[in-house]
Amino acid sequence: MMSSSREREESLTFPTNPSSTSSPITVSDHLDRYLQDPSSHIGSASGSYSNEGPLAAETASPSNSDVEFGFSRHDFRQQSPISGTVQFYQRHVFLCYKSPSVWPPRIEAAEFDRLPRLLSAAVLARKADMIKETRLTICEGHDGTETSNGDVLIFPDMIRYRRLTHFDVDTFVEEVLVKNGEWLPGTPEKLEGSFVFVCSHGSRDRRCGVCGPPLVSRFKEEIVLYGLQGRVSVSPCSHIGGHKYAGNVIIFGSNFNGEVTGHWYGYVTPDDVPTLLEWHIGKGEIIDALWRGQMGLSEEEQKKFQELRRLANGETTKEATQRQMDEMNITACQSQDNLASCCQRNSSSCCHDPPKSDIVGTDEGVAKLTPEKKKSGKKLISRINSGKGASVRKVCAKPTWFESWEREDTYAALAVVCAAASIAVAYSCYKQLS
C-alpha cells in the first residue's frame, strides 16, 4: 500500500459521446517535432495565433545527451524528499497555444505571440483583485483538433472556454478570473476525467526539453494500452518551475470525496508512468517518493501533509521512500509486454513474478479496467531506450523456485513432516502393543 489505503470497487461510467460535456484534451501527433527547428510553425485560422515575426528563442538540440540533461544526468534524484517545492496557488489556468517546438523561452512575454503575452499581462495586472491565487501556463494547441489554439482550461473548476482571442483577453480576465463568473459569448464546457500536464519547454530549459517528450509519449501509450482514452489525457506544457526536478508532471482529477486536486510530481521517468496511472489516478494514492506538492497548500503545509501520511503508515522518511521506489519498480515490470525479467534499481532487487494488475481510471471515483488485448504485431510499450531522454533499466533473471520460497511454504513443509513423523510413531506404538 502507498500513502492511502482506501480503494473503491464500484465502477464508473464515462460518457463516450457527451453532448453537454467536454472530453479531456488529447495530445497531437506532433511530438516528434519537439526539440527540432522552430521554423515548423503551427498554422491557425485566426490572425491572433499566426506568427508575426521570428521567434527569439533557441530550441533544445536533439544532440543533447541523456547524460547531460536527461534521466541519467548527474543531479537526477539527488534531493529527497522533494515535497514543499510548489509555490502556493489556488487556481491553474492553461492556455492552449501552438506547439512546444515553437514556444520561445518566455512565451508569456514574447513580442510576436500576442495572445499569451496579453493574457499573462492581464492576469498580472488584475492579480490583486482576484480572490484566488492564480497561475497561468501554456499547453499544446492545434487548430482543427479537440484542443484548438485559444482554448482555456481552468482547474479546479474543471471547465473549458473555446477560442479566446487577444481581443477578448481583458473581458475574459474580468468576468471569469476576477468576478468568478462566466465569460460571454463563451460558454463554459465541463471537463471530465483526469488531466496530466508534462513540462516540455525545451527552449526554457533543456532538461525539460529532453525529459518531457518521452514522458508524454509513454503516457499516451499506457493510456491506449489500458483503454483509458477519453478518461485520462496528457499534454505537454510550458515552464512550471523547478527545472532541476525534470521530468515534472502535474495531475488534475477528482479524489474520493469528489474534490478536484492538482498534484505535482518531480524526477518522473517513463518507467514511473504506469505507477502514476495505477496508483495515483487509479487508486487516489500519492507517490511520496516523487511528490513535490499540490495546488491549494503552502510549501510548509505540503511538507506537513506528507509527514502525516508517513506517520499514519508508521514509517520513517527513508523507509517510505525505499518502499515506494520498490513498488514503482514492480509496477514498471508489470507494464512490460511479454516480460521475461524484472527491474532492479539502486541495488534493491524487486525480482518477482507479479500477478496481473488492474489499471483504473477515475472521474468521480474509481473504475477498475482490464488492459485491452494487444493486437498481434503491434507493440504498445514505449521503446524508451531507443530515443532521447531514455531511462536506464537494469534487469535480473526471474527468481528460481528456491529464491521465491516463502515462509508460509516452509511452515507447510514442516507441518507435513511432523504429521508423517506422528503417524510413524503411532504406528510403531500400535505394533508393539499388538
Side-chain angles (χ1 to χ4, degrees), residues 57-218:
E58 245 182 63
T59 54
S61 169
S63 63
N64 293 333
S65 69
D66 178 61
V67 174
E68 293 180 81
F69 305 107
F71 305 111
S72 299
R73 63 184 187 272
H74 68 90
D75 61 344
F76 187 71
R77 289 186 177 174
Q78 291 302 304
Q79 178 179 336
S80 179
I82 57 175
S83 59
T85 58
V86 177
Q87 291 184 356
F88 173 76
Y89 75 111
Q90 298 163 297
R91 176 171 55 193
H92 210 143
V93 177
F94 286 86
L95 171 66
C96 304
Y97 187 81
K98 299 184 180 180
S99 167
S101 63
V102 300
W103 290 342
R106 304 277 178 178
I107 189 170
E108 69 281 356
E111 179 182 358
F112 303 107
D113 293 285
R114 286 188 294 176
L115 180 58
R117 173 168 54 85
L118 293 176
L119 181 58
S120 176
V123 170
L124 184 61
R126 301 303 304 276
K127 189 179 183 69
D129 301 322
M130 297 180 189
I131 299 175
K132 298 179 180 178
E133 188 72 24
T134 301
R135 177 188 291 266
L136 174 64
T137 302
I138 310 301
C139 66
E140 188 176 48
H142 293 289
D143 289 337
T145 67
E146 180 64 20
T147 306
S148 299
N149 283 306
D151 287 0
V152 179
L153 313 175
I154 304 178
F155 303 94
D157 306 65
M158 292 292 283
I159 57 175
R160 181 211 310 265
Y161 282 97
R162 295 282 188 181
R163 302 296 292 173
L164 180 73
T165 70
H166 64 279
F167 299 108
D168 308 313
V169 164
D170 290 335
T171 304
F172 177 83
V173 171
E174 173 71 21
E175 297 299 327
V176 178
L177 303 183
V178 175
K179 295 182 178 179
N180 295 312
E182 292 187 4
W183 171 55
L184 298 176
T187 301
E189 302 175 6
K190 182 180 178 182
L191 297 174
E192 296 184 351
S194 296
F195 291 77
V196 180
F197 295 93
V198 181
C199 183
S200 306
H201 201 167
S203 63
R204 182 72 174 266
D205 190 275
R206 292 189 175 184
R207 287 167 292 190
C208 299
V210 172
C211 296
L215 287 173
V216 174
S217 297
R218 184 62 184 271

Side-chain angles (χ1 to χ4, degrees), residues 86 115 228 385 408:
V86 177
L115 180 58
L228 297 175
N385 291 328
E408 290 78 4

Side-chain angles (χ1 to χ4, degrees), residues 167-409:
F167 299 108
D168 308 313
V169 164
D170 290 335
T171 304
F172 177 83
V173 171
E174 173 71 21
E175 297 299 327
V176 178
L177 303 183
V178 175
K179 295 182 178 179
N180 295 312
E182 292 187 4
W183 171 55
L184 298 176
T187 301
E189 302 175 6
K190 182 180 178 182
L191 297 174
E192 296 184 351
S194 296
F195 291 77
V196 180
F197 295 93
V198 181
C199 183
S200 306
H201 201 167
S203 63
R204 182 72 174 266
D205 190 275
R206 292 189 175 184
R207 287 167 292 190
C208 299
V210 172
C211 296
L215 287 173
V216 174
S217 297
R218 184 62 184 271
F219 268 110
K220 290 177 64 179
E221 291 169 355
E222 294 294 327
I223 288 169
V224 172
L225 175 64
Y226 291 105
L228 297 175
Q229 301 95 318
R231 308 173 189 182
V232 180
S233 68
V234 59
S235 176
C237 71
S238 64
H239 170 68
I240 57 175
H243 303 299
K244 64 182 179 180
Y245 305 118
N248 284 301
V249 174
I250 309 177
I251 302 177
F252 294 97
S254 299
N255 60 20
F256 289 100
N257 298 322
E259 177 189 6
V260 177
T261 58
H263 290 273
W264 291 48
Y265 288 101
Y267 292 143
V268 179
T269 72
D271 291 341
D272 301 324
V273 169
T275 303
L276 290 173
L277 286 172
E278 182 173 349
W279 289 93
H280 182 100
I281 295 179
K283 299 179 180 179
E285 299 186 5
I286 296 173
I287 315 299
D288 278 316
L290 305 176
W291 191 71
R292 290 185 56 188
Q294 76 177 73
M295 176 177 63
L297 296 181
S298 68
E299 291 93 327
E300 192 60 34
E301 288 172 335
Q302 293 162 19
K303 295 177 181 179
K304 291 180 180 179
F305 186 41
Q306 184 180 65
E307 188 61 28
L308 287 175
R309 290 197 301 269
R310 287 171 170 168
L311 290 175
N313 292 332
E315 297 175 312
T316 64
T317 299
K318 183 176 181 180
E319 290 171 343
T321 301
Q322 184 60 57
R323 172 181 59 79
Q324 289 199 337
M325 293 303 294
D326 288 343
E327 290 174 346
M328 289 160 58
N329 289 341
I330 295 172
T331 303
C333 291
Q334 293 174 339
S335 70
Q336 295 186 78
D337 187 25
N338 300 322
L339 183 66
S341 58
C342 58
C343 317
Q344 183 178 4
R345 284 182 183 158
N346 300 325
S347 301
S348 176
S349 175
C350 65
C351 294
H352 295 280
D353 189 9
K356 293 182 179 179
S357 61
D358 292 332
I359 191 74
V360 288
T362 62
D363 180 12
E364 298 172 356
V366 177
K368 288 200 172 184
L369 301 173
T370 303
E372 295 178 348
K373 293 184 178 180
K374 307 173 188 65
K375 295 181 180 179
S376 59
K378 185 177 182 181
K379 300 294 184 181
L380 296 177
I381 301 301
S382 175
R383 275 63 173 168
I384 299 300
N385 291 328
S386 62
K388 290 293 176 185
S391 59
V392 180
R393 175 184 295 173
K394 299 178 182 179
V395 298
C396 56
K398 295 180 71 174
T400 63
W401 69 269
F402 180 77
E403 292 172 329
S404 60
W405 188 268
E406 301 285 349
R407 180 181 297 179
E408 290 78 4
D409 298 326

Side-chain angles (χ1 to χ4, degrees), residues 414-425:
L414 289 174
V416 171
V417 172
C418 292
S422 299
I423 294 173
V425 171

